[in-house]
Amino acid sequence: MQLDKGIQLLQVSSTIMGRTESIHPTLMWDEDNMILVDTTYPGQLPLLQEAILSTGFTIHNLTSIFITHQDLDHIGSLADVIQTCPSPVQVFSSSIEKPYIQGEKKLIKLTPEAITQAVNSMPESVPVEWRHAFRRTLENPPKTAVNSTIVPGEELPFCGGIVVVDTAGHTPGHLSFYHKTSQTLIAGDALNVVSGELQGPDPQYCHDYNMAKESLKNLLTYDIKKVICFHGGLYEGNCNRRISEICGL
């Protein structure tokens, strides 16, 4: 779905552990750059390629990838994307998230207990070899080098200006991005859309829920017309008022 000139919401849908789930990376572009914000689960490169093709571009046009945070649904296909593109692709993240993305530290939510719980939650109909493969993926997630670290408040000189926003809490170094020309917030997992309504971070998935909720106040600096949430997709409305409500202001 093209939201404005130079920015498009992508949708990648697949059946995972017996239920269909859609996630929403974002594509931004100008004359010299094409930027993907977040990737997909491991093994979903063909679905991501198909989503990008629907915009009239190909994945080979990518020049940069922005990563909001370390969770597997956001970085799972990052290594595959890098390997697929014929030209070097610059990978950006916060310095806090960088060692997790590069595999120098274990992803904070993939504890042994969480991995066992995830495997055990798979439907009984799932073949044993698939269960083993799933466990191996969780125990050995893909690793990718981050070329550039970015800091909150920094304005990146792409696509009319993209501002980096601190939305820590879902993970320690979670970032969101504000696309100035379209006044669109790319929220990652800092916000969610549930049944068409903009909601705050889900406590059960937050590393630090209080921090995640408090950091949303950083978004109120910007005049936001649209919000893209990785889970739930697009929200349009009085975004600043709704974010203020979520913050309890």
Side-chain angles (χ1 to χ4, degrees):
M1 177 189 298
Q2 185 160 341
L3 308 182
D4 210 316
K5 183 178 180 181
I7 183 168
Q8 187 145 344
L9 167 73
L10 304 178
Q11 179 167 310
V12 175
S13 301
S14 64
T15 300
I16 299 174
M17 291 194 294
R19 61 187 179 91
T20 300
E21 178 180 350
S22 294
I23 52 179
H24 300 277
T26 302
L27 200 65
M28 296 180 284
W29 65 90
D30 58 23
E31 290 184 359
D32 302 311
N33 304 279
M34 194 173 87
I35 300 164
L36 178 68
V37 182
D38 290 331
T39 63
T40 54
Y41 287 99
Q44 291 190 327
L45 176 63
L47 296 176
L48 180 60
Q49 289 177 302
E50 183 179 340
I52 294 174
L53 278 172
S54 72
T55 71
F57 296 106
T58 77
I59 202 167
H60 294 167
N61 297 125
L62 284 177
T63 56
S64 303
I65 299 174
F66 295 173
I67 297 296
T68 59
H69 66 290
Q70 62 181 271
D71 286 348
L72 196 59
D73 51 341
H74 295 255
I75 68 167
S77 287
L78 178 58
D80 289 340
V81 172
I82 298 299
Q83 292 172 9
T84 298
C85 293
S87 300
V89 176
Q90 198 82 351
V91 178
F92 295 77
S93 80
S94 70
S95 60
I96 296 173
E97 301 291 291
K98 177 179 177 178
Y100 297 96
I101 298 167
Q102 295 190 148
E104 296 158 7
K105 294 183 178 180
K106 291 185 178 296
L107 303 184
I108 57 173
K109 297 176 187 176
L110 291 184
T111 62
E113 296 77 15
I115 291 172
T116 297
Q117 182 179 1
V119 173
N120 290 342
S121 68
M122 299 179 77
E124 292 183 4
S125 58
V126 174
V128 172
E129 60 268 24
W130 289 16
R131 291 175 181 271
H132 291 167
F134 182 49
R135 178 179 285 278
R136 285 195 299 271
T137 297
L138 297 181
E139 291 176 339
N140 300 283
K143 306 170 185 178
T144 308
V146 173
N147 311 112
S148 298
T149 54
I150 44 182
V151 297
E154 182 177 357
E155 182 173 330
L156 303 169
F158 311 119
C159 308
I162 302 169
V163 182
V164 182
V165 187
D166 174 16
T167 46
H170 179 79
T171 62
H174 188 290
L175 298 175
S176 297
F177 300 97
Y178 180 67
H179 183 251
K180 291 177 65 176
T181 57
S182 67
Q183 297 176 288
T184 299
L185 173 71
I186 304 167
D189 286 355
L191 295 164
N192 300 281
V193 176
V194 181
S195 300
E197 185 62 75
L198 189 65
Q199 302 287 354
D202 190 328
Q204 68 176 319
Y205 297 121
C206 285
H207 175 70
D208 185 329
Y209 175 67
N210 290 330
M211 178 188 291
K213 192 170 180 181
E214 182 68 21
S215 69
L216 294 179
K217 294 177 182 177
N218 297 329
L219 301 173
L220 298 175
T221 302
Y222 307 96
D223 185 8
I224 302 169
K225 301 300 183 187
K226 306 179 187 74
V227 180
I228 298 174
C229 298
F230 198 74
H231 300 282
L234 179 66
Y235 178 82
E236 294 181 279
N238 192 324
C239 299
N240 288 75
R241 182 176 67 189
R242 178 60 189 145
I243 294 169
S244 293
E245 291 172 353
I246 293 169
C247 292
L249 300 176

mmCIF file of all heavy atoms in Angstrom, residues 29 33 37 45 59 71 73 79 97 102 110 138 164-165 170 183 187 202 204 207 220 236 240-241:
data_model
loop_
_atom_site.group_PDB
_atom_site.id
_atom_site.type_symbol
_atom_site.label_atom_id
_atom_site.label_comp_id
_atom_site.label_asym_id
_atom_site.label_seq_id
_atom_site.Cartn_x
_atom_site.Cartn_y
_atom_site.Cartn_z
ATOM 1 N N TRP A 29 11.963 5.322 -0.611
ATOM 2 C CA TRP A 29 12.874 5.528 -1.724
ATOM 3 C C TRP A 29 12.896 6.983 -2.185
ATOM 4 O O TRP A 29 11.968 7.748 -1.943
ATOM 5 C CB TRP A 29 12.508 4.617 -2.898
ATOM 6 C CG TRP A 29 11.166 4.913 -3.523
ATOM 7 C CD1 TRP A 29 10.885 5.768 -4.555
ATOM 8 C CD2 TRP A 29 9.901 4.357 -3.122
ATOM 9 N NE1 TRP A 29 9.544 5.778 -4.824
ATOM 10 C CE2 TRP A 29 8.914 4.924 -3.974
ATOM 11 C CE3 TRP A 29 9.506 3.443 -2.142
ATOM 12 C CZ2 TRP A 29 7.555 4.599 -3.863
ATOM 13 C CZ3 TRP A 29 8.158 3.128 -2.030
ATOM 14 C CH2 TRP A 29 7.207 3.693 -2.882
ATOM 15 N N ASN A 33 18.201 6.270 -3.474
ATOM 16 C CA ASN A 33 18.177 5.321 -2.366
ATOM 17 C C ASN A 33 16.886 4.514 -2.351
ATOM 18 O O ASN A 33 15.816 5.009 -2.718
ATOM 19 C CB ASN A 33 18.283 6.061 -1.024
ATOM 20 C CG ASN A 33 19.513 6.936 -0.931
ATOM 21 O OD1 ASN A 33 20.603 6.444 -0.654
ATOM 22 N ND2 ASN A 33 19.349 8.226 -1.161
ATOM 23 N N VAL A 37 12.828 -1.060 5.943
ATOM 24 C CA VAL A 37 12.829 -1.032 7.398
ATOM 25 C C VAL A 37 12.336 -2.382 7.897
ATOM 26 O O VAL A 37 11.167 -2.733 7.714
ATOM 27 C CB VAL A 37 11.942 0.097 7.956
ATOM 28 C CG1 VAL A 37 12.028 0.109 9.488
ATOM 29 C CG2 VAL A 37 12.350 1.447 7.386
ATOM 30 N N LEU A 45 12.356 -14.985 2.817
ATOM 31 C CA LEU A 45 12.890 -14.135 1.751
ATOM 32 C C LEU A 45 12.013 -14.140 0.502
ATOM 33 O O LEU A 45 11.726 -13.071 -0.050
ATOM 34 C CB LEU A 45 14.315 -14.557 1.403
ATOM 35 C CG LEU A 45 14.955 -13.791 0.226
ATOM 36 C CD1 LEU A 45 15.097 -12.312 0.541
ATOM 37 C CD2 LEU A 45 16.315 -14.402 -0.128
ATOM 38 N N ILE A 59 14.115 -6.459 -5.028
ATOM 39 C CA ILE A 59 14.973 -6.427 -3.852
ATOM 40 C C ILE A 59 16.394 -6.012 -4.206
ATOM 41 O O ILE A 59 17.140 -5.493 -3.369
ATOM 42 C CB ILE A 59 14.939 -7.803 -3.145
ATOM 43 C CG1 ILE A 59 15.341 -7.665 -1.678
ATOM 44 C CG2 ILE A 59 15.808 -8.837 -3.888
ATOM 45 C CD1 ILE A 59 15.031 -8.878 -0.847
ATOM 46 N N ASP A 71 14.535 -8.519 17.480
ATOM 47 C CA ASP A 71 13.656 -9.690 17.490
ATOM 48 C C ASP A 71 13.692 -10.437 16.162
ATOM 49 O O ASP A 71 13.856 -9.839 15.085
ATOM 50 C CB ASP A 71 12.227 -9.290 17.829
ATOM 51 C CG ASP A 71 12.050 -8.942 19.305
ATOM 52 O OD1 ASP A 71 12.967 -9.225 20.094
ATOM 53 O OD2 ASP A 71 10.989 -8.393 19.665
ATOM 54 N N ASP A 73 11.604 -11.862 14.147
ATOM 55 C CA ASP A 73 10.728 -11.542 13.016
ATOM 56 C C ASP A 73 11.179 -10.286 12.285
ATOM 57 O O ASP A 73 10.755 -10.033 11.156
ATOM 58 C CB ASP A 73 9.264 -11.410 13.467
ATOM 59 C CG ASP A 73 9.066 -10.486 14.646
ATOM 60 O OD1 ASP A 73 10.040 -10.209 15.369
ATOM 61 O OD2 ASP A 73 7.912 -10.039 14.864
ATOM 62 N N ALA A 79 20.140 -11.592 6.769
ATOM 63 C CA ALA A 79 21.320 -12.170 6.119
ATOM 64 C C ALA A 79 21.006 -12.621 4.704
ATOM 65 O O ALA A 79 21.808 -12.430 3.778
ATOM 66 C CB ALA A 79 21.846 -13.336 6.947
ATOM 67 N N GLU A 97 21.485 -2.445 19.988
ATOM 68 C CA GLU A 97 20.994 -3.639 19.312
ATOM 69 C C GLU A 97 22.057 -4.319 18.454
ATOM 70 O O GLU A 97 21.962 -5.514 18.163
ATOM 71 C CB GLU A 97 19.784 -3.287 18.433
ATOM 72 C CG GLU A 97 18.613 -2.681 19.192
ATOM 73 C CD GLU A 97 17.931 -3.673 20.118
ATOM 74 O OE1 GLU A 97 17.280 -4.615 19.627
ATOM 75 O OE2 GLU A 97 18.048 -3.500 21.352
ATOM 76 N N GLN A 102 24.447 -8.913 15.293
ATOM 77 C CA GLN A 102 25.683 -9.505 14.766
ATOM 78 C C GLN A 102 26.003 -10.863 15.393
ATOM 79 O O GLN A 102 26.978 -11.496 14.995
ATOM 80 C CB GLN A 102 26.850 -8.543 14.987
ATOM 81 C CG GLN A 102 26.716 -7.250 14.200
ATOM 82 C CD GLN A 102 27.959 -6.390 14.217
ATOM 83 O OE1 GLN A 102 28.236 -5.686 13.261
ATOM 84 N NE2 GLN A 102 28.728 -6.428 15.286
ATOM 85 N N LEU A 110 15.225 -14.939 23.438
ATOM 86 C CA LEU A 110 15.362 -16.354 23.104
ATOM 87 C C LEU A 110 16.156 -17.080 24.192
ATOM 88 O O LEU A 110 17.233 -17.620 23.962
ATOM 89 C CB LEU A 110 16.018 -16.526 21.729
ATOM 90 C CG LEU A 110 15.169 -16.104 20.539
ATOM 91 C CD1 LEU A 110 15.883 -16.423 19.232
ATOM 92 C CD2 LEU A 110 13.799 -16.783 20.559
ATOM 93 N N LEU A 138 15.956 -21.242 16.300
ATOM 94 C CA LEU A 138 15.879 -20.403 17.491
ATOM 95 C C LEU A 138 17.184 -20.409 18.279
ATOM 96 O O LEU A 138 17.584 -19.388 18.852
ATOM 97 C CB LEU A 138 14.726 -20.866 18.388
ATOM 98 C CG LEU A 138 13.316 -20.754 17.800
ATOM 99 C CD1 LEU A 138 12.284 -21.223 18.818
ATOM 100 C CD2 LEU A 138 13.001 -19.338 17.342
ATOM 101 N N VAL A 164 15.533 9.573 13.456
ATOM 102 C CA VAL A 164 15.642 8.425 14.345
ATOM 103 C C VAL A 164 15.040 8.792 15.704
ATOM 104 O O VAL A 164 15.379 9.830 16.275
ATOM 105 C CB VAL A 164 17.119 8.014 14.526
ATOM 106 C CG1 VAL A 164 17.235 6.779 15.405
ATOM 107 C CG2 VAL A 164 17.783 7.788 13.172
ATOM 108 N N VAL A 165 14.145 7.950 16.214
ATOM 109 C CA VAL A 165 13.442 8.238 17.473
ATOM 110 C C VAL A 165 13.678 7.106 18.471
ATOM 111 O O VAL A 165 13.553 5.924 18.132
ATOM 112 C CB VAL A 165 11.926 8.411 17.239
ATOM 113 C CG1 VAL A 165 11.251 8.882 18.532
ATOM 114 C CG2 VAL A 165 11.638 9.381 16.097
ATOM 115 N N HIS A 170 10.630 -2.122 24.384
ATOM 116 C CA HIS A 170 10.280 -3.421 23.792
ATOM 117 C C HIS A 170 11.537 -4.284 23.747
ATOM 118 O O HIS A 170 11.513 -5.471 24.070
ATOM 119 C CB HIS A 170 9.690 -3.210 22.405
ATOM 120 C CG HIS A 170 9.315 -4.474 21.711
ATOM 121 N ND1 HIS A 170 8.156 -5.161 21.984
ATOM 122 C CD2 HIS A 170 9.957 -5.190 20.757
ATOM 123 C CE1 HIS A 170 8.099 -6.246 21.244
ATOM 124 N NE2 HIS A 170 9.185 -6.292 20.485
ATOM 125 N N GLN A 183 5.105 12.585 6.824
ATOM 126 C CA GLN A 183 4.701 12.671 8.235
ATOM 127 C C GLN A 183 4.226 11.304 8.757
ATOM 128 O O GLN A 183 3.242 11.188 9.472
ATOM 129 C CB GLN A 183 3.615 13.735 8.430
ATOM 130 C CG GLN A 183 4.095 15.137 8.086
ATOM 131 C CD GLN A 183 2.992 16.170 8.175
ATOM 132 O OE1 GLN A 183 2.094 16.195 7.337
ATOM 133 N NE2 GLN A 183 3.046 17.005 9.196
ATOM 134 N N ALA A 187 6.849 2.584 13.367
ATOM 135 C CA ALA A 187 6.928 2.372 14.814
ATOM 136 C C ALA A 187 7.587 1.067 15.218
ATOM 137 O O ALA A 187 7.851 0.866 16.404
ATOM 138 C CB ALA A 187 5.525 2.445 15.414
ATOM 139 N N ASP A 202 2.810 -4.271 23.742
ATOM 140 C CA ASP A 202 2.216 -5.407 24.449
ATOM 141 C C ASP A 202 3.131 -5.805 25.617
ATOM 142 O O ASP A 202 4.286 -6.171 25.398
ATOM 143 C CB ASP A 202 2.050 -6.578 23.475
ATOM 144 C CG ASP A 202 1.224 -7.714 24.047
ATOM 145 O OD1 ASP A 202 1.269 -7.924 25.272
ATOM 146 O OD2 ASP A 202 0.534 -8.400 23.260
ATOM 147 N N GLN A 204 3.500 -8.390 27.427
ATOM 148 C CA GLN A 204 4.076 -9.734 27.469
ATOM 149 C C GLN A 204 5.285 -9.884 26.550
ATOM 150 O O GLN A 204 6.066 -10.827 26.708
ATOM 151 C CB GLN A 204 3.018 -10.780 27.124
ATOM 152 C CG GLN A 204 2.535 -10.762 25.694
ATOM 153 C CD GLN A 204 1.569 -11.889 25.385
ATOM 154 O OE1 GLN A 204 1.765 -13.020 25.834
ATOM 155 N NE2 GLN A 204 0.531 -11.595 24.616
ATOM 156 N N HIS A 207 10.748 -6.144 26.901
ATOM 157 C CA HIS A 207 11.878 -6.342 27.811
ATOM 158 C C HIS A 207 11.673 -5.503 29.068
ATOM 159 O O HIS A 207 11.958 -5.960 30.186
ATOM 160 C CB HIS A 207 13.173 -5.938 27.101
ATOM 161 C CG HIS A 207 14.382 -5.983 27.970
ATOM 162 N ND1 HIS A 207 14.937 -7.152 28.430
ATOM 163 C CD2 HIS A 207 15.155 -4.978 28.481
ATOM 164 C CE1 HIS A 207 15.999 -6.883 29.161
ATOM 165 N NE2 HIS A 207 16.141 -5.583 29.228
ATOM 166 N N LEU A 220 5.865 12.425 20.574
ATOM 167 C CA LEU A 220 4.953 13.568 20.544
ATOM 168 C C LEU A 220 5.623 14.840 20.046
ATOM 169 O O LEU A 220 4.948 15.849 19.809
ATOM 170 C CB LEU A 220 4.356 13.773 21.935
ATOM 171 C CG LEU A 220 3.517 12.587 22.441
ATOM 172 C CD1 LEU A 220 3.066 12.815 23.871
ATOM 173 C CD2 LEU A 220 2.321 12.353 21.524
ATOM 174 N N GLU A 236 -4.398 5.467 10.657
ATOM 175 C CA GLU A 236 -4.591 6.854 10.263
ATOM 176 C C GLU A 236 -5.661 7.450 11.171
ATOM 177 O O GLU A 236 -6.672 6.825 11.466
ATOM 178 C CB GLU A 236 -5.033 6.956 8.803
ATOM 179 C CG GLU A 236 -3.986 6.496 7.809
ATOM 180 C CD GLU A 236 -4.452 6.644 6.373
ATOM 181 O OE1 GLU A 236 -5.193 5.760 5.913
ATOM 182 O OE2 GLU A 236 -4.086 7.652 5.728
ATOM 183 N N ASN A 240 -1.261 11.883 17.044
ATOM 184 C CA ASN A 240 -0.642 12.469 18.235
ATOM 185 C C ASN A 240 -1.584 12.397 19.439
ATOM 186 O O ASN A 240 -1.144 12.104 20.552
ATOM 187 C CB ASN A 240 -0.222 13.907 17.958
ATOM 188 C CG ASN A 240 0.970 13.994 17.036
ATOM 189 O OD1 ASN A 240 0.838 13.792 15.832
ATOM 190 N ND2 ASN A 240 2.138 14.271 17.577
ATOM 191 N N ARG A 241 -2.869 12.660 19.209
ATOM 192 C CA ARG A 241 -3.809 12.559 20.321
ATOM 193 C C ARG A 241 -3.899 11.133 20.843
ATOM 194 O O ARG A 241 -3.901 10.899 22.058
ATOM 195 C CB ARG A 241 -5.197 13.028 19.876
ATOM 196 C CG ARG A 241 -6.238 13.005 21.014
ATOM 197 C CD ARG A 241 -7.563 13.556 20.560
ATOM 198 N NE ARG A 241 -8.182 12.682 19.570
ATOM 199 C CZ ARG A 241 -9.283 13.025 18.880
ATOM 200 N NH1 ARG A 241 -9.844 14.209 19.051
ATOM 201 N NH2 ARG A 241 -9.801 12.171 18.012
#
